Amino acid sequence: MAKPQTRPRPSDGQQPPREDGGPHGEELPALCPPPASPPQALSVNELQQITDDISRLTVVHEIVLNSDFKLQASRFSPKSLESRVKETLHKAFWDSLEEQLSASPDYTGAAAGDKSLISVLGLPQFPLSNLRELLSSWSEKELFRCFFGQALLSLLLLWHHQLRSQIEEALDMELIRQEAEHEALDIHGLTIFVLGTMARLRMPLRDEEVRGLQALTDPAQLLRDIFRVLGLMKMDMLNFTAQSIRTQLQDHTIQYEQKKFQELLDKLPNSLDRTREWLCKAAAAAAVSASSSQPPPHPAVSGSPAVPSPGAISSSTAVPSLMSVLNQGHMNLLCWEPGQKEYPETLFMDQALQGVQAQVNQLTIIAAVLLVTSSMCGSTLFGSPGFVARLKVVTKVLLEWLYEAALEDISDQVLQEVSRTLARLGYPAFTTDKCTSLKGQTKSIKGNAVQHVTEQRIHSFLSLFISPDGQNSQKDFPKGLEPIQEELLEVGCRFGSVIHHNRQVFGPYYSGVLKKLLLPNAEPDSDAGMDSF
């Protein structure tokens, strides 16, 4: 990735250098605003706009990085307040519609049509005589199109010109208003048109459901299911659109994310504090490693190093390279404590890293269990067809369901599987002491030396996926981790993809922060001691 532009010197007759070491102009201004600047008070509307911007930026980011990305309708817990409110309101709405339609079975007529319209609008308290007044007073609102027309139009692609014209003509608001004024509004005819249009869209995933709608005779149930299927079709179209534009987004996402993130910083200028703290801790650990020629301390074991002040690292220890600091910082994310501290601002879109962390923790326990079992059972039993696969499956399932309390159950299942395999192969059963030892070692894996060594090997292997010179070393798989090789390679590729993209987007920000931290006395335009990424 290209380095940020260097600052002009004051002697050049140009603008004075920025405090953060970043470039002037439009690219990436003002990493670190002057401390004297007071915090800005934001209005509710501004906060809502920032929230919307973050949401859109996160969606684009996910589409680009996740090939399996899919939007899904919000789902609440059945016992949650949101779920109860939604269920109550929906039930009231559809019960009211069904009651009014039942009062006039021939709903193709004008009066029944008026009832249907009022009910569909969610306004059952309005008397039928007020329908003309209601339509006239809402002269600029497209009532039916709000529920049917707009839903159908949202399913069209750019080349559906003829179908778009037909929908706009059939659900023309002015025509609907005139029909209502002359008591000739035909809800049944409009419903038939909507069903026909849904069928013409030919969405294979929903063809069967659309055919099911055409077989319904109960008007209330028909309208209810039309709305339901239209919602599903809209979600299908959104996901199809997301996949179809993914390649285009990949070509421009770096510039887009940089631009949008800078706009957020302009609104919230002091919003890189957590990023600076994260990089400072990584720099302290990397500096210790550079001075002692030893691997950096493991965050989960050694705790977080003290946050250094700018200049403290260079004055007391060897200056680590920018790349080594970033590598250390990104590896520290695998030992993050989500419940106790928030992610750095430059990683707020990469919540997928929490999933990577969970997978790494799970693979660590699985590998440790297999190592203990292998040492107790020997290569003959451990090499029995299907033995390792069965142990992996049962350990993974129990970890997903129980986690902290899973090791007790895992130890029982491991012993049962060992006993069954011994009997099937014709070997003598384990003695009582050996059974007790196997269970005891399995139950005590969490936090012991076996887990620690396994975790270090896994982290060391994953670090190769974020290091430019580590690609060729991935072929040298760590000893003892062969049973989880496939899973670990998958996690490593995912981890490397997220980190690589993050560095492309936020590299200039990291460079500006680390230059101040590692080389506070260097010339403004000097890159001495700083490598590029």
Side-chain angles (χ1 to χ4, degrees), residues 225-435:
D225 281 5
I226 284 177
F227 282 114
R228 179 184 63 80
V229 177
L230 279 174
L232 295 174
M233 294 174 71
K234 183 174 182 179
M235 194 63 67
D236 293 339
M237 182 56 68
L238 286 173
N239 286 318
F240 170 78
T241 303
Q243 288 300 317
S244 64
I245 65 174
R246 186 167 181 262
T247 301
Q248 293 174 298
L249 290 177
Q250 287 174 324
D251 294 337
H252 304 285
T253 183
I254 305 299
Q255 296 84 349
Y256 174 79
E257 290 186 31
Q258 286 180 339
K259 176 183 176 182
K260 291 301 180 181
F261 187 78
Q262 185 58 49
E263 290 175 0
L264 291 174
L265 286 187
D266 291 340
K267 298 175 184 178
L268 302 170
N270 297 318
S271 56
L272 279 177
D273 293 342
R274 293 198 299 273
T275 299
R276 293 189 188 94
E277 179 183 358
W278 166 63
L279 289 175
C280 283
K281 291 181 178 179
V288 171
S289 175
S291 299
S292 61
S293 299
Q294 295 292 327
H298 195 286
V301 176
S302 61
S304 300
V307 179
S309 59
I313 291 177
S314 58
S315 63
S316 59
T317 59
V319 179
S321 66
L322 182 149
M323 181 59 72
S324 66
V325 174
L326 277 181
N327 284 346
Q328 180 63 42
H330 284 128
M331 290 306 299
N332 287 350
L333 297 173
L334 297 179
C335 300
W336 204 260
E337 300 173 6
Q340 299 183 19
K341 49 185 178 180
E342 298 182 29
Y343 260 36
E345 296 87 352
T346 52
L347 288 152
F348 75 90
M349 295 181 295
D350 291 316
Q351 299 302 311
L353 288 174
Q354 295 183 12
V356 171
Q357 181 183 357
Q359 284 183 287
V360 169
N361 293 340
Q362 184 184 87
L363 288 175
T364 300
I365 297 295
I366 293 174
V369 168
L370 294 176
L371 280 173
V372 168
T373 308
S374 175
S375 65
M376 293 289 294
C377 300
S379 58
T380 303
L381 182 61
F382 202 73
S384 174
F387 179 74
V388 172
R390 290 191 294 271
L391 286 184
K392 283 168 58 177
V393 169
V394 71
T395 304
K396 180 180 179 180
V397 170
L398 289 173
L399 284 173
E400 290 176 346
W401 280 92
L402 302 174
Y403 193 63
E404 293 292 344
L407 289 177
E408 178 74 34
D409 295 88
I410 289 173
S411 65
D412 291 336
Q413 292 297 321
V414 167
L415 182 57
Q416 290 180 26
E417 184 58 41
V418 167
S419 300
R420 283 196 295 264
T421 305
L422 287 173
R424 187 174 65 252
L425 296 177
Y427 291 108
F430 278 1
T431 63
T432 302
D433 289 343
K434 200 166 185 179
C435 289

Side-chain angles (χ1 to χ4, degrees), residues 103-179:
S104 179
D106 183 16
Y107 77 107
T108 60
D114 290 352
K115 291 181 182 180
S116 300
L117 178 60
I118 293 175
S119 298
V120 168
L121 292 174
L123 301 170
Q125 70 276 20
F126 273 71
L128 297 179
S129 59
N130 286 355
L131 179 57
R132 296 191 190 93
E133 180 181 350
L134 175 66
L135 290 171
S136 299
S137 64
W138 286 13
S139 58
E140 298 302 319
K141 298 185 183 296
E142 302 175 339
L143 300 179
F144 238 82
R145 290 180 63 183
C146 178
F147 292 93
F148 284 132
Q150 291 299 331
L152 290 173
L153 290 172
S154 69
L155 301 178
L156 302 184
L157 298 173
L158 294 177
W159 52 85
H160 286 151
H161 303 295
Q162 182 178 0
L163 191 53
R164 182 180 299 274
S165 299
Q166 292 175 354
I167 293 174
E168 291 175 343
E169 179 181 352
L171 301 178
D172 179 74
M173 191 56 228
E174 184 61 31
L175 178 61
I176 291 175
R177 185 184 299 109
Q178 292 177 8
E179 290 177 344

Side-chain angles (χ1 to χ4, degrees), residues 445-497:
I445 279 176
K446 190 170 180 60
N448 70 9
V450 175
Q451 184 197 14
H452 178 59
V453 171
T454 303
E455 186 174 54
Q456 283 189 325
R457 290 178 182 176
I458 289 177
H459 284 206
S460 177
F461 181 69
L462 292 178
S463 69
L464 301 177
F465 288 85
I466 63 174
S467 176
D469 55 355
Q471 298 298 318
N472 294 330
S473 302
Q474 294 174 19
K475 300 176 182 178
D476 302 327
F477 208 78
K479 184 178 180 180
L481 300 183
E482 293 85 357
I484 61 167
Q485 179 172 350
E486 182 179 347
E487 295 87 346
L488 198 52
L489 285 171
E490 181 182 344
V491 171
C493 290
R494 184 182 176 194
F495 181 53
S497 174

